[in-house]
Amino acid sequence: MATNQLRQYITEARKSGMSNQDIIEALTKSGWHVHDIIDIVVDFPPKETGAAVISVRNVSKHFGKVKALDGVTLDIPSGQVIALLGPNGAGKTTLVRILGTLSQPTEGTVTIAGLDVVKDAQELRAIIGLTGQYAAVDEILSGRENLDMVGQLYHLPIEEACKRTIELLKEFDLEDAADRSVKTYSGGMRRRLDLAASLVIRPKVLFLDEPTTGLDPRSRLVMWNVIRDLVQGGTTVLLTTQYMEEADQLAHHIFVIDHGKIIAQGTSDELKRQVGGDVLELHLAEHKQVSQAAELIKSFGSAEPRFDSNTGIVTMSVQGGATVLVDVVRQLDTANVKISDVILRRPSLDDVFIKLTGHSAQ
Amino acid sequence: MANLKTTFSDIGVMTKRNLLHYRRLPQLIIFSFIQPVMFVLLFAYVFGGAIETSSGKYINFLLPGILVQTILFGAMMTGVSLANDITKGMIDRFRSLPMARSAVLAGRTITEMIRNIFVVVLMTAVGYLIGFRIEHGWGNFGFAVLFIALVGFAFSWVSAAIGLWVKNVETAQSAGFIWVFPLAFASSIFVPIETMSGGVRTFAEHNPITYMVNTVRALSLGTPVGNNIWYALIWVGAILAVFIPVAVHIYRKNT
Ligand SMILES: Nc1ncnc2c1ncn2[C@@H]1O[C@H](COP(=O)(O)OP(=O)(O)OP(=O)(O)O)[C@@H](O)[C@H]1O
Ligand SMILES: [Mg+2]
């Protein structure tokens, strides 16, 4: 059936009162892959393009008295990497679990590709992938058995499931360990297997909760490349992270979340511009002089300086770059505060974060 | 999209996965087997002489009881395994797949039923070595095994509900003992109820385990079955009617 015939079929089926679910079921029975038809069925008759693939409206989630999410609204366009950036306890996992149909919002609605995460959960599960914060793989089974099992639970015919498993094992560099029990895998291998399990059906939308936490720098780069390739192939990826650098490197768009609320959003550059100016970083020879130094240079900054007596570092946002630098150094020299290093740099996302929340992300 | 065919296929995949666990870690079965063997030996040789039964040899009285005790203790495995799957994030993985909602629980309880049949057959073989004899024909004993499997299936769902509710392996284990111990010991498993007195006796007389054990005893020894089998089946039906919906509800809402 060509696309035109498909559209005709859907028109007829709609007229005869079949629900989207019935139509999808009938089409998959006649050999279509859910992935290829879901868009056409759901967006039928076709709307103008550019619509958000994920739309979160006023979502709250309460655990007793704790408001893990407090009125979150966001739209996510398709085919991008979106980062959800926030400190421990910000509500990242809670939001990802709702998007992944594992938990239901207390208030508000979420739709993904036009399907409601509560009402259409079962249909949705056939087009999304979810990799949680902790690897969810069966330790007693082998890597191959894990992937075969997931393939079969996606209702792929058994030969197709096995074929897909072989592809994924290769892609994620797990061929040598394929028939070993997962118990013997390293943390990085488990994470890769976990991600592979979410990719069995080539999901349209993929949710990754802290995909690189606990990975060494090399594995992290591998993971970043995998994510970039997926997006190239048209998948929308929403990932959560506590690492500024990760959001900076990967994400087209960043949502900053804290205490269950979205407190800022934009591209990495847009967010950095909110801080304005440059950041002056002073490393003191005598760590305990930080508060004294901060007091001395306060008048030169565009915001209150911050200091850490453990590292002996004082940071401050400044306007006017080099001139201020000279003034600051002179001032400290006069007061006999020894400086071991001075850095004048563009604001990092970490600075953005501190400006927005008043505390560091890590 | 869940139709009957995919539901059965999902249950099959889950059962296969669980059975693979037992194949990879046979110690899981060995331990659920050593304990009842110890009970048989302990009771048969230590107390055997002191316990009077109407049905002749004490081992003939004891073994049918021990078979029921084995599946009752074994039922705890269901909750423990599910709690383990929750802790390890496996339940989240399954819940994010477009599989039938009931398949995780059905696959688990069916697995435990298969394990129960296996252990019951092994226990009977051990019984034979120390003098147990079937006195009512192999056909009736076959029914007894099926009946025990059904009882085990029902208790599996109780255990499943508890495991899903407490979500923690150790708690699931200790919570299991709370209901399993009184049911096992204040029953006709080890000694005839006539030897008990007071409140314990009243409890034992109405304990579902007593009805179940008496049924198995009747099927293996040919003693009169009376109403025991009907009470036992009513209990099995009631347990299933209450605990399947409860377990499924907790699975949906609470994990
Ligand atoms: N099941 C739950 N019961 C009670 N409180 C919960 C539950 N899940 C999350 N919370 C609370 O909701 C808040 C948000 O938690 P969440 O796990 O979403 O944070 P997070 O941003 O993912 O943090 P982390 O970076 O540590 O993973 C926290 O205060 C947490 O304690
Ligand atoms: Mg989290």
Side-chain angles (χ1 to χ4, degrees):
Chain A
M1 236 193 291
T3 313
N4 270 343
Q5 275 171 294
L6 189 64
R7 290 191 196 289
Q8 189 131 28
Y9 174 82
I10 299 169
T11 319
E12 296 296 321
R14 282 267 176 89
K15 271 190 207 145
S16 70
M18 281 167 77
S19 70
N20 281 354
Q21 191 169 335
D22 297 334
I23 298 174
I24 292 169
E25 197 172 312
L27 285 170
T28 42
K29 272 212 194 96
S30 61
W32 284 86
H33 200 286
V34 178
H35 189 260
D36 301 325
I37 53 171
I38 187 103
D39 271 351
I40 304 175
V41 177
V42 169
D43 291 338
F44 197 87
K47 294 190 264 313
E48 67 279 22
T49 48
V53 65
I54 302 175
S55 146
V56 178
R57 287 284 159 275
N58 220 347
V59 163
S60 298
K61 177 78 184 180
H62 302 171
F63 296 105
K65 285 215 173 83
V66 182
K67 287 187 180 167
L69 293 175
D70 191 3
V72 171
T73 294
L74 45 91
D75 282 308
I76 293 172
S78 68
Q80 296 201 341
V81 181
I82 306 297
L84 198 59
L85 180 68
N88 287 134
K92 303 183 295 294
T93 298
T94 307
L95 183 56
V96 166
R97 287 177 63 85
I98 290 175
L99 293 171
T101 75
L102 291 183
S103 136
Q104 302 187 350
T106 315
E107 280 162 25
T109 54
V110 181
T111 57
I112 300 175
L115 299 169
D116 186 286
V117 290
V118 179
K119 288 197 284 278
D120 309 316
Q122 200 68 353
E123 277 167 285
L124 203 48
R125 290 185 187 113
I127 59 160
I128 60 171
L130 172 69
T131 301
Q133 190 164 353
Y134 307 99
V137 285
D138 192 315
E139 294 201 324
I140 298 168
L141 303 186
S142 68
R144 188 190 306 281
E145 285 164 341
N146 265 285
L147 295 178
D148 284 348
M149 173 178 75
V150 171
Q152 287 175 53
L153 293 173
Y154 272 116
H155 306 134
L156 298 179
I158 194 152
E159 318 79 58
E160 207 179 304
C162 296
K163 222 173 78 198
R164 183 70 183 138
T165 295
I166 293 166
E167 282 169 25
L168 286 166
L169 288 169
K170 190 159 177 188
E171 197 177 328
F172 286 89
D173 198 18
L174 290 167
E175 279 170 305
D176 293 338
D179 295 305
R180 254 170 37 205
S181 153
V182 171
K183 250 192 316 234
T184 66
Y185 284 24
S186 71
M189 291 163 81
R190 279 173 204 225
R191 281 231 149 232
R192 296 207 300 271
L193 181 65
D194 196 30
L195 181 60
S198 312
L199 297 177
V200 166
I201 45 132
R202 300 183 180 86
K204 258 182 72 67
V205 182
L206 178 64
F207 302 107
L208 302 172
D209 198 359
E210 304 201 16
T212 62
T213 302
L215 294 189
D216 63 23
R218 197 186 60 90
S219 311
R220 176 168 303 171
L221 285 179
V222 172
M223 185 65 83
W224 286 359
N225 284 331
V226 168
I227 293 170
R228 289 191 184 109
D229 286 348
L230 282 168
V231 174
Q232 285 274 304
T235 304
T236 305
V237 176
L238 182 134
L239 58 87
T240 75
T241 180
Q242 303 184 33
Y243 303 112
M244 307 297 152
E245 196 204 346
E246 185 156 282
D248 222 351
Q249 286 280 330
L250 276 180
H252 300 103
H253 199 88
I254 299 167
F255 290 92
V256 183
I257 183 170
D258 193 28
H259 296 299
K261 289 194 164 85
I262 302 291
I263 53 172
Q265 59 169 297
T267 62
S268 161
D269 284 338
E270 283 166 1
L271 288 171
K272 286 174 191 169
R273 234 174 278 141
Q274 294 193 6
V275 176
D278 295 316
V279 175
L280 179 65
E281 206 176 287
L282 298 163
H283 297 239
L284 302 188
E286 291 287 335
H287 290 186
K288 56 182 185 304
Q289 289 182 320
V290 283
S291 61
Q292 187 195 349
E295 193 58 35
L296 286 164
I297 65 171
K298 204 158 84 179
S299 56
F300 300 102
S302 57
E304 280 283 305
R306 286 176 289 111
F307 54 84
D308 182 345
S309 60
N310 291 321
T311 55
I313 298 176
V314 183
T315 36
M316 182 170 71
S317 293
V318 294
Q319 306 284 348
T323 357
V324 182
L325 179 74
V326 175
D327 291 343
V328 164
V329 172
R330 191 175 298 139
Q331 176 82 0
L332 291 175
D333 196 40
T334 321
N336 223 353
V337 176
K338 293 247 165 2
I339 303 165
S340 64
D341 202 359
V342 189
I343 301 161
L344 188 65
R345 56 171 171 79
R346 310 288 308 161
S348 67
L349 272 178
D350 202 24
D351 299 312
V352 177
F353 204 85
I354 288 160
K355 173 152 193 264
L356 291 167
T357 65
H359 55 82
S360 175
Q362 275 139 55
Chain B
M1 274 171 248
N3 56 36
L4 218 54
K5 197 170 138 227
T6 57
T7 303
F8 280 123
S9 136
D10 292 343
I11 295 175
V13 174
M14 292 309 300
T15 308
K16 187 176 141 208
R17 172 228 176 203
N18 299 335
L19 287 173
L20 267 175
H21 282 193
Y22 282 124
R23 204 168 90 194
R24 296 286 148 76
L25 295 175
Q27 58 267 41
L28 290 177
I29 291 209
I30 292 172
F31 279 106
S32 64
F33 171 64
I34 286 179
Q35 194 196 32
V37 168
M38 268 168 43
F39 268 102
V40 175
L41 298 178
L42 219 66
F43 276 83
Y45 291 115
V46 179
F47 305 121
I51 297 170
E52 295 261 348
T53 65
S54 50
S55 50
K57 282 190 299 184
Y58 179 60
I59 183 69
N60 276 358
F61 174 88
L62 179 66
L63 199 92
I66 293 283
L67 295 182
V68 175
Q69 185 225 359
T70 306
I71 57 101
L72 184 61
F73 279 42
M76 284 193 288
M77 286 291 284
T78 311
V80 170
S81 309
L82 285 170
N84 190 43
D85 278 346
I86 292 177
T87 328
K88 295 272 162 67
M90 284 313 290
I91 298 282
D92 277 349
R93 164 66 71 204
F94 294 136
R95 275 159 39 97
S96 76
L97 298 175
M99 60 187 286
R101 286 297 201 161
S102 51
V104 171
L105 300 185
R108 173 51 66 190
T109 47
I110 289 171
T111 306
E112 299 308 323
M113 187 157 79
I114 295 171
R115 184 185 58 100
N116 276 336
I117 293 177
F118 182 74
V119 173
V120 162
V121 170
L122 269 178
M123 287 293 304
T124 309
V126 170
Y128 252 77
L129 292 179
I130 57 169
F132 168 72
R133 290 295 175 267
I134 289 166
E135 292 181 348
H136 199 38
W138 285 93
N140 282 320
F141 189 73
F143 280 121
V145 172
L146 290 182
F147 174 79
I148 294 170
L150 184 68
V151 168
F153 184 69
F155 284 123
S156 258
W157 283 96
V158 179
S159 175
I162 294 173
L164 292 169
W165 181 50
V166 302
K167 295 185 214 156
N168 169 294
V169 173
E170 284 76 31
T171 323
Q173 204 139 29
S174 16
F177 280 110
I178 295 174
W179 64 276
V180 163
F181 257 73
L183 281 182
F185 287 96
S187 76
S188 64
I189 289 183
F190 303 104
V191 293
I193 293 192
E194 297 76 52
T195 62
M196 302 173 183
S197 60
V200 175
R201 179 167 178 167
T202 318
F203 179 85
E205 276 167 357
H206 298 92
N207 183 344
I209 298 295
T210 298
Y211 300 129
M212 291 160 184
V213 170
N214 292 351
T215 303
V216 175
R217 233 167 239 153
L219 287 170
S220 23
L221 306 178
T223 48
V225 67
N227 280 331
N228 283 301
I229 188 160
W230 305 119
Y231 285 130
L233 288 174
I234 288 169
W235 268 104
V236 167
I239 291 169
L240 289 172
V242 172
F243 282 93
I244 290 181
V246 168
V248 170
H249 179 80
I250 301 175
Y251 178 79
R252 285 192 178 168
K253 293 287 167 203
N254 205 22
T255 45

